Every structure is written in C-alpha cells, then in structure tokens.
Amino acid sequence: MTGATSGANETINALDVGTSKVVALISQVDERGQLKVIGAGRSVSQGLRKGTVINTTDATAAIAKAIEEAERTAGVTMESAYVSISGAHISAIGSKGVVDLGKNGRRVTAEDCQKALDQAGGIALPHNREMINVVARQYKLDDKEGIDNPVGSMGYRLEVEATVVTGASSNIQNLTNCILDNGVRISDLVLEPLASAEAVLSREELSAGVVLVDIGAGTAGVAIYIDKAPWQTHCLEVGGQYLVHDVSSVLRMSQESAEALIRQFGHALPERVPVDAEVRAGAFGQEGQQVVRRRVLAEIINARAEELADLILSEVKRSGYDGLTPAGVVLTGGVAQLPGLSDLSATRMRWPVRIGQPNGAVASTFDLNSPEYAAAVGLLLWGLHRGAKPRNLEPVRPGPGKRILDYFKSLLPISS
Ligand SMILES: Nc1ncnc2c1ncn2[C@@H]1O[C@H](COP(=O)(O)OP(=O)(O)OP(=O)(O)O)[C@@H](O)[C@H]1O
Ligand SMILES: [Mg+2]
C-alpha cells in the first residue's frame, strides 16, 4: 500500500449516505494500528434517489441524525469523515502518470507514487465532471511491469497505470454540500463499491481477480478487481427498491409492508420455500391484512433477482474482463441478505458467488457484521490504508454546536 497510513489515537470517521439509510461511524486507531469503532449512528435516508441527492434539505437532515447518534454514542464530535458516493453519473476510465526519477536514478518514495497518481488523475474533463478517486492498477519501474508497491526500489522512470473514477459535478456538489452543511469536513469521497471492497474482499480473491457488487436500495455498484486493483467500476440503477415495488404492486400492499415482508420472509428461489407456507401481511383496502403464500412472494422476487444477476453478468462481460476474475462474484449491500440470492446468481452467472460482509478487520461493540454495513466499515479501512485527500472545502456552518442547538430546538414546542 503506497498511501498515507494513520497514527495511533487518530480518529477516522465514515458517512455512508445511501438511498435507504445513512450510517455514521466514528473510529479510533489503536496502538497496533487497528481500528475500533467507538460510535455508530443510523438514520432513515431522505432526499436521495438511486444513490444521488435530489433534495439537499432532506438529505442534510437525515445525515445530521446519523451523525448525532454516532457522536452521542462516541462522546466525541465528528469533525471530518470519509463519505461514500454512488449513482449512474459515475464512470471509470484508465489513465497513466509518469515521474522522472532523474539522470542518476534513485529510490522511489511514497511522494513519487502520489505524484504519478496525481498526474494520472489530471486528465482533462468536461466542465461538468469531476474526479472522485484515482486508484493505482499497477506501477512500472523502468521496464519492470506489474509492480504493486515500488516504494524503496531503485529506478529512473516511474509509471503508474490507474483507474480514474469521475462523476457529474452537480451530483458531487450536492452531496458534499449536505456534509459540509453539517459542519463536517470531507476527508475523501469514495465510490461505494470501492469502499465495500475494502471491508469484504479477501486477499486471495483480490489476487485472483474478483467482481464486487454492492446491491443497495437504489443502486448496484460493481467493481471489477484484477491483480488486487479495481480496473473497472459501474453503477447500475437497480436495487432492493425494485423488489419492494414489484411485491407492493402485485400483492397490493404499501411499500413499507412489502419491504417488511421481503426482509422477513423473502426468498430468491421459490422451489426452496414449502409449497403451503403462508404468512399474514399488510394490504390496501378495508381489511388491511391478507394471507400471502410465501412461494408466491418468492416467485415475484425471483423474477427480479434473475434480472439483477443477468444485468451484473452482462456488465462484467461488457467490460471485457470476464475471463480475468476466477474468484467469481462477491455480493454485498442490504439485498445480499436475501436468502437464495447467492445460489441463484451462481446458477445464472456460472461463476462462484458468495455473500460478503465486513471481515472483522475493524473492532466494534456495535453490530456491524452485516452486508448492509460493508460500505461504512470499508470507508474506515479506506481511510486507514490510504489516508485523507481533503477536497479543500470548509464546512459552511459551525458544525457540532449548530447540530446540538438544532437538536434542542427540535424539543421545543412549535410556536406559530
Ligand atoms: N433480507 C432481505 N432480503 C431482500 N432485500 C433486503 C433484505 N434486507 C434488506 N434488503 C433491502 O436492501 C436494501 C437496503 O440496502 P442498503 O442498506 O445496502 O441500501 P443503501 O445503502 O441505503 O442504498 P444504495 O447503496 O443503493 O444507495 C433495501 O431495499 C432493503 O429492502
Ligand atoms: Mg449503499
């Protein structure tokens, strides 16, 4: 790893701003260089559609709630955070950067690597697009290719091949404003599947080549890893909300009832559900209740789950890297909790598939061992391994003080 690493007692925080939930984590680096989560908050997301902020006022308020809870449980304020970003406006391209190490050559430093990456990221972009992340695929030192970490090696010319992730400036700005309006500085923005990969992929999978898919409520973020680095990323505008929508319209119930039903009784493979199993569920209309056959529920879910697996498969094929990922697919994000999804996907894609959840690299007394928390935990690890790349933006309002004031104001009776 060539990025900056973090020192003991340093605080590393995460804000995973999703379509359905916002997660705020406050962590500290211990003397062994390991992360311990000391505060966690979760709120129902608002103002986002398919991973993108569409109402900054609502999104800012939802983010504030998660931050407040994390601060309350940690007993410290969140001054800065690594923030997840997703949405169909995001794309990735390959780029190169070169650093001349002088006529006599010298040993490569971490600064040289950063300079090469900065050059790779400095590509000309249309005025309405911005760079989000630049991640090294491989370094080349003189004529030696495929180097993971050239720091300390002797050479004359350092070259990096990198993946550059870019997004629409307006979408990036809307998200960053929601964070800054909460008085929190942005340590770095991180593409959601790249964050999740930090938390769930094993060393073996990364070395072999693997596809990570974070399936949330509004997006399915795909990142294709070859030789330990992300070579391609893509954000599909599909997720759990499609399942919820289908179940609610076919079974004629509210979206809330449909989501609760899917979470509790959903299955991706109808043949695994007993033919006569029934459950009581909500319904529109006079009765307000209905009896649902679990197999019928699974049939509705199955159609969408197959479509999702096919979309992921065609995305990986389109990238042209499908022959380079023998470790198959790791599914994470909330939808990965759907029973039967990994088997269904393995059958459809004919690849090995497993469900990934945070792999225990971060200590926590909060229960974060669920695919839903892959991105939030991954943001902390991204910060630990790669260090901050602040976006030179200062919070526009005094942060914690204002949040606390807002909280007390919210307790006062509303005056007309
Ligand atoms: N057991 C389950 N079976 C099927 N779907 C589930 C299950 N549990 C949660 N989900 C779905 O997962 C989704 C939430 O996932 P997650 O928390 O990863 O989304 P998010 O991060 O808020 O959204 P996004 O990343 O798309 O912006 C919801 O649509 C929810 O219905
Ligand atoms: Mg998410």
Side-chain angles (χ1 to χ4, degrees):
M1 203 58 67
T2 53
T5 42
S6 304
N9 289 328
E10 191 192 338
T11 304
I12 297 181
N13 307 320
L15 278 172
D16 174 27
V17 185
T19 310
S20 71
K21 59 150 187 356
V22 181
V23 177
L25 299 179
I26 298 178
S27 78
Q28 262 171 0
V29 184
D30 71 14
E31 51 295 336
R32 289 167 302 147
Q34 287 198 319
L35 283 173
K36 183 171 179 12
V37 176
I38 57 165
R42 175 178 169 139
S43 65
V44 174
S45 183
Q46 274 168 5
L48 271 88
R49 188 191 295 148
K50 296 182 178 170
T52 301
V53 174
I54 52 160
N55 179 326
T56 43
T57 312
D58 289 355
T60 304
I63 294 166
K65 275 195 196 145
I67 296 173
E68 278 157 17
E69 194 185 334
E71 289 178 336
R72 205 168 45 241
T73 48
V76 296
T77 55
M78 182 186 271
E79 280 163 17
S80 61
Y82 290 83
V83 178
S84 67
I85 183 162
S86 75
H89 63 102
I90 296 171
S91 57
I93 44 167
S95 176
K96 282 188 178 162
V98 181
V99 172
D100 185 352
L101 300 171
K103 273 205 301 291
N104 302 323
R106 59 176 171 80
R107 291 168 74 140
V108 176
T109 62
E111 289 72 40
D112 294 325
C113 294
Q114 191 52 54
K115 234 192 243 169
L117 282 172
D118 289 345
Q119 205 189 90
I123 43 173
L125 292 172
H127 73 280
N128 56 354
R129 289 196 74 79
E130 271 174 48
M131 196 264 289
I132 299 172
N133 298 123
V134 184
V135 189
R137 293 175 175 176
Q138 58 172 338
Y139 288 92
K140 189 174 161 191
L141 193 53
D142 303 334
D143 49 9
K144 283 193 287 304
E145 291 194 36
I147 303 171
D148 282 357
N149 183 1
V151 173
S153 298
M154 184 70 196
Y156 295 86
R157 185 176 188 271
L158 176 71
E159 192 175 317
V160 71
E161 196 178 333
T163 299
V164 180
V165 179
T166 69
S169 305
S170 53
N171 291 335
I172 296 173
Q173 205 57 57
N174 283 339
L175 174 65
T176 53
N177 285 345
C178 295
I179 311 295
L180 297 172
D181 282 359
N182 273 299
V184 174
R185 284 195 312 278
I186 297 172
S187 307
D188 202 358
L189 284 180
V190 186
L191 179 63
E192 185 184 30
L194 298 186
S196 303
E198 293 276 331
V200 307
L201 295 182
S202 71
R203 221 176 276 234
E204 294 74 24
E205 286 164 339
L206 283 164
S207 299
V210 66
V211 180
L212 180 286
V213 191
D214 183 312
I215 315 174
T219 62
V222 182
I224 302 173
Y225 281 80
I226 298 163
D227 219 355
K228 304 189 201 115
W231 278 61
Q232 189 54 265
T233 66
H234 197 81
C235 259
L236 299 164
E237 287 191 320
V238 287
Q241 281 177 345
Y242 276 88
L243 303 181
V244 171
H245 177 267
D246 287 358
V247 169
S248 108
S249 54
V250 176
L251 298 177
R252 295 170 188 269
M253 61 176 69
S254 68
Q255 305 236 334
E256 290 71 30
S257 302
E259 179 160 6
L261 190 64
I262 295 170
R263 279 178 183 262
Q264 208 178 346
F265 299 108
H267 206 294
L269 295 168
E271 65 275 17
R272 300 241 181 115
V273 176
V275 76
D276 50 359
E278 291 179 338
V279 288
R280 292 197 77 77
F284 284 126
Q286 186 81 5
E287 294 275 309
Q289 285 244 309
Q290 62 177 314
V291 174
V292 173
R293 282 179 55 207
R294 281 190 59 191
R295 194 168 263 208
V296 172
L297 174 68
E299 276 159 6
I300 303 168
I301 293 172
N302 176 267
R304 276 291 183 189
E306 285 190 344
E307 186 189 71
L308 195 63
D310 292 351
L311 274 171
I312 295 166
L313 179 66
S314 58
E315 199 46 54
V316 180
K317 290 212 155 138
R318 206 171 59 89
S319 75
Y321 297 129
D322 48 315
L324 301 173
T325 53
V329 176
V330 176
L331 300 175
T332 193
V335 176
Q337 298 170 105
L338 177 68
L341 186 65
S342 58
D343 286 350
L344 175 144
S345 307
T347 310
R348 283 308 277 186
M349 301 176 183
R350 299 196 192 166
W351 283 332
V353 177
R354 77 168 177 97
I355 303 302
Q357 59 184 36
N359 59 18
V362 174
S364 175
T365 48
F366 303 90
D367 186 11
L368 302 173
N369 295 326
S370 154
E372 292 184 290
Y373 297 117
V377 173
L379 284 168
L380 299 178
L381 290 163
W382 179 284
L384 182 72
H385 295 145
R386 295 170 196 264
K389 301 224 171 30
R391 301 183 75 80
N392 289 331
L393 293 167
E394 282 304 311
V396 287
R397 293 187 210 162
K402 173 172 186 307
R403 282 199 301 278
I404 291 162
L405 199 67
D406 281 352
Y407 172 73
F408 284 114
K409 270 194 203 152
S410 74
L411 301 179
L412 295 173
I414 299 165
S415 56
S416 51

